[in-house]
Amino acid sequence: REFGNVYYGAHESREVGTFEVESDSGFGIVVMNPYRQSDIARKEVRDYIHMLINQNREQISTIDSRISANTSGCLIGYSRPYYMPKIAKPSLSKPLRLKYTGYSKDVSFWLKTVLEHAGICIELEEVSFHDALYHDHLKVEADLFIHGEIFELNQSFSYFNFIKNNLSPLRKITQSDPYLQEYIKGYDELPFEQWMNQHLRIEKYLIQNSLCIPLYYSKRQIPFSINLMNIEIKHFGYVDLSKLWMKPKY
C-alpha cells in the first residue's frame, strides 16, 4: 500500500482510465522463537497459540479483503491442510512479546486481540522494516512475530532460500534446532528434482512443533491503463508483458 504504481503506455496521459488486475502476492506466517528464555520455549505454550490461530484463522479476511486464510502451508499445490486438537490453556509467567513492522501492523493487532481474548497477555512493539530485515530485533528479541514472504518464480528454490539465507525469518530457529540442521544438510545429497519432498518434511516439522504457523495468503490489485491489452499475471504477482500490445488510436 506504500507503493501506488500504475502501468501506463509511454505516450499516455496520467488522466487515462485504468482497470485493476488482481494477482497473488505471497503469504504470511507466524514465527515463534523457542530459543528465548521465556514461556515461548515451552511447546505447550506454542501449541496453545497455534490452536488459537487455527480456530480463528478464517476471520483474517475481515481485516483486509486482499488476504485469505492459509490453512495448509507455504508451498502452494503441495502443502496439505492440517488439524490442531483442542488443548487446555497453559500457565504463563509473564506477557509474551509480539513485535511487528508497518506492513504487518493490522494483522499483528488482530493476532494480539485473538490471544488476549483467550487469556494470553501480549506486549506489542513496532520495529522498522529495515531493522526487521537486517538486524535481529525480530528474530531474537520477540517471542513471536508475523512475517510476509513473496517467492520467486521457482517455488522449490525459493523455499530452500527462504529457510537457509542469512535474512531468513527462520534463521535463528534453524541455527538452534539440531533436527532442522540435519534436514537442511540433507539437501547436499539430493538432486534438485527431489527437493520438494525435503521441503515438505521441514514444513511438517515446523508446523508440528508450532514454530512456523501458516496464517494468510495475500493478493494485490495492480492498476493498468485501459489501453494496455493482453496482460497476464504469473506466479505470485509477476506480470508477463511478453505479448503486450497497445490498443490503437483511431
Side-chain angles (χ1 to χ4, degrees):
R1 62 189 173 191
E2 288 86 356
F3 303 97
N5 294 329
V6 179
Y7 288 81
Y8 292 100
H11 304 293
E12 288 186 306
S13 164
R14 290 301 174 105
E15 296 178 359
V16 72
T18 61
F19 70 99
E20 290 189 339
V21 176
E22 186 173 79
S23 70
D24 293 323
S25 188
F27 58 87
I29 55 175
V30 178
V31 178
M32 291 191 256
N33 291 332
Y35 51 81
R36 280 178 55 80
Q37 300 299 312
S38 72
D39 291 311
I40 205 72
R42 295 157 47 204
K43 187 174 184 297
E44 65 268 25
V45 173
R46 301 197 306 274
D47 284 347
Y48 184 69
I49 294 172
H50 192 171
M51 180 199 74
L52 295 173
I53 292 170
N54 194 61
Q55 289 177 344
N56 293 276
R57 196 190 275 120
E58 293 295 337
Q59 303 171 6
I60 202 155
S61 60
T62 62
I63 305 168
D64 187 332
S65 60
R66 293 175 297 179
I67 61 176
S68 58
N70 176 0
T71 59
S72 301
C74 303
L75 296 158
I76 294 178
Y78 296 93
S79 300
R80 293 290 176 259
Y82 67 94
Y83 171 75
M84 282 295 293
K86 288 186 177 182
I87 59 175
K89 176 182 175 294
S91 60
L92 279 78
S93 60
K94 59 182 180 180
L96 296 177
R97 183 178 297 172
L98 170 60
K99 293 197 175 189
Y100 68 94
T101 58
Y103 77 85
S104 67
K105 178 178 179 180
D106 294 342
V107 183
S108 296
F109 273 76
W110 170 84
L111 179 59
K112 177 179 184 290
T113 300
V114 167
L115 299 182
E116 290 189 333
H117 184 73
I120 297 179
C121 294
I122 298 294
E123 292 178 350
L124 268 179
E125 182 181 341
E126 186 170 7
V127 177
S128 73
F129 182 78
H130 180 275
D131 285 349
L133 186 63
Y134 294 108
H135 302 293
D136 283 338
H137 296 291
L138 282 182
K139 303 180 187 78
V140 175
E141 299 174 5
D143 293 309
L144 67 164
F145 61 92
I146 293 171
H147 172 79
E149 183 78 16
I150 299 177
F151 281 167
E152 301 294 335
L153 285 173
N154 189 305
Q155 184 176 211
S156 185
F157 181 76
S158 292
Y159 189 82
F160 174 77
N161 189 54
F162 170 63
I163 60 175
K164 193 170 172 59
N165 80 78
N166 288 333
L167 299 180
S168 169
L170 305 177
R171 181 170 63 89
K172 296 298 292 185
I173 295 175
T174 56
Q175 288 177 343
S176 61
D177 190 306
Y179 292 99
L180 284 174
Q181 290 174 7
E182 286 300 314
Y183 280 132
I184 293 171
K185 287 179 183 177
Y187 287 102
D188 296 341
E189 307 297 328
L190 289 173
F192 179 74
E193 293 76 14
Q194 297 177 23
W195 277 18
M196 186 57 69
N197 288 334
Q198 192 76 346
H199 299 339
L200 292 171
R201 292 186 189 101
I202 290 173
E203 183 172 74
K204 182 178 180 180
Y205 179 84
L206 290 168
I207 290 175
Q208 287 183 339
N209 287 277
S210 298
L211 300 171
C212 177
I213 314 305
L215 187 58
Y216 64 81
Y217 293 119
S218 61
K219 292 183 177 292
R220 59 177 176 162
Q221 287 83 35
I222 307 172
F224 289 90
S225 162
I226 57 175
N227 296 315
L228 298 178
M229 301 286 105
N230 211 33
I231 295 166
E232 295 184 4
I233 303 294
K234 289 191 169 183
H235 184 66
F236 275 132
Y238 286 85
V239 183
D240 182 359
L241 303 177
S242 63
K243 299 178 182 179
L244 178 72
W245 57 278
M246 287 284 294
K247 184 187 295 183
K249 292 183 178 181
Y250 297 103

